[in-house]
Amino acid sequence: MVSAAIAAFRAALGEATRVMVLSGAGVSAESGVPTFRGAGGLWRRWSATDLATPEAWARDPGLVWEFYDYRRRRMADVQPNPAHRALAAFEERWTAAGHQLALVTQNIDGLHELAGSRNVTRLHGSIWHVRCLRCGAVTPNRDVPITAAYEGAGSPEPDAPSRRFGPEDLPRCACSGVLRPHVVWFGEPLGAEDLEGAVRAAERCDVLLVVGTSAVVYPAAGLIPLARRSGAVVAEINLEPTPATRDVDHHFCGPAGAVVPELLDDLPKRTT
Ligand code: OAD
């Protein structure tokens, strides 16, 4: 049965030409990627937010790489779920109908792209890219382990034996500079072009669909009130209310893998 809220949201989409999607870790949860703030967010005794910082890197780059190596291993075999697939299929139909869609994600797992989404802005970078600290080159890299030294390392258990990794264990660029994960860490600025594109999309969209984000990390979370102030109809899909919930037009409570297809499948309707 289609609820009145779903019908109202689909009616708003029927009037729209520009749609924006803002996604967070919750969209990948059903693929088996742990979220940041939910259960499973800890690695040993640290939360992701302790290690995803420039300070942690300055203190112990070997430990930060061990953490990312673990995350890369966890993400290496995961597959897009019905939410990613419904968003990609919707983009194809929507753009074929001459409309615009911008998908702005905070996720670094690459699952939207793997599902076939095209117009994706990765606000927080990509776990499958590395950046050279000497020459600045950004390159794709799917090596797991990231270097031979990390073979068998990375256990998430709190009592896992801690191994020290030295400069000789770190991944290196062809120029011999040290490589770091090409992700945005806490306290680092987002890519200026990415952020500008996301702000433009939020200001111009007719409908914003917010999927699986706790809406507490800025500037991404600020895109939600920005879209609303700019006149968009805003809908949120989450398992629970978030700080953004009071400012949205529709809150759909449920798993993204079920709710996103229900909202988007078969839209836009064929007119011929
Ligand atoms: P969080 O882990 O903070 O929040 C995930 C959200 O998804 C929560 O609100 C959950 O209730 C919701 N959720 C979980 N499973 C879901 C499901 N199956 N369907 C729908 N919703 C579900 O993740 P983000 O909001 O993405 O930044 O976190 C934002 C940023 O903080 C991340 O990009 C990362 C992190 O620290 C950086 O690394 C810079």
Side-chain angles (χ1 to χ4, degrees):
M1 195 183 69
V2 176
S3 75
I6 292 179
F9 173 74
R10 287 169 61 92
L13 266 184
E15 302 285 311
T17 56
R18 293 193 177 113
V19 171
M20 171 172 168
V21 178
L22 174 66
S23 72
V27 80
S28 295
E30 290 158 74
S31 294
V33 180
T35 59
F36 289 91
R37 290 171 182 79
L42 281 190
W43 182 77
R44 293 186 192 159
R45 59 182 190 281
W46 294 284
S47 74
T49 50
D50 295 328
L51 292 175
T53 65
E55 292 78 19
W57 176 264
R59 245 187 341 262
D60 193 346
L63 178 70
V64 172
W65 256 123
E66 189 182 8
F67 166 65
Y68 276 96
D69 196 55
Y70 164 74
R71 294 187 69 195
R72 283 160 64 103
R73 192 169 293 127
R74 288 277 315 249
M75 290 184 193
D77 297 323
V78 298
Q79 294 300 318
N81 66 52
H84 299 107
R85 288 199 292 272
L87 288 167
F90 174 71
E91 178 181 9
E92 196 172 330
R93 295 191 302 273
W94 192 249
T95 53
H99 305 324
Q100 292 175 24
L101 183 129
L103 198 167
V104 176
T105 188
Q106 299 165 85
N107 299 344
I108 58 177
D109 55 32
L111 288 179
H112 283 303
E113 295 88 336
L114 198 58
S117 284
R118 289 178 194 183
N119 191 18
V120 181
T121 300
R122 287 191 287 240
L123 276 187
H124 294 163
S126 160
I127 201 164
W128 299 119
H129 287 75
V130 291
R131 184 163 85 241
C132 176
L133 292 176
R134 178 180 290 172
C135 72
V138 174
T139 43
N141 179 309
R142 292 196 73 97
D143 298 344
V144 179
I146 184 69
T147 66
Y150 286 90
E151 185 70 61
S155 164
E157 300 308 322
D159 53 0
S162 67
R163 243 160 85 179
R164 286 295 294 182
F165 293 94
E168 68 286 1
D169 299 321
L170 300 176
R172 300 271 169 178
C173 179
C175 81
S176 86
V178 171
L179 297 170
R180 63 163 271 182
H182 184 51
V183 298
V184 176
W185 287 330
F186 278 90
E188 293 187 321
L190 272 51
E193 258 180 48
D194 292 339
L195 183 58
E196 279 161 25
V199 165
R200 240 186 345 264
E203 285 171 339
R204 292 182 185 170
C205 66
D206 306 308
V207 170
L208 169 64
L209 188 58
V210 181
V211 192
T213 176
S214 55
V216 294
V217 174
Y218 286 76
L223 297 167
I224 303 167
L226 175 61
R228 189 94 191 290
R229 279 200 307 277
S230 308
V233 171
V234 181
E236 176 184 53
I237 299 172
N238 202 301
L239 296 178
E240 57 190 28
T242 73
T245 303
R246 63 176 179 273
D247 293 322
V248 302
D249 298 284
H250 305 289
H251 176 84
F252 298 108
C253 184
V259 180
V260 176
E262 194 173 0
L263 292 180
L264 298 182
D265 275 0
D266 82 4
L267 283 177
K269 290 200 185 310
R270 285 178 192 281
T271 50
T272 52

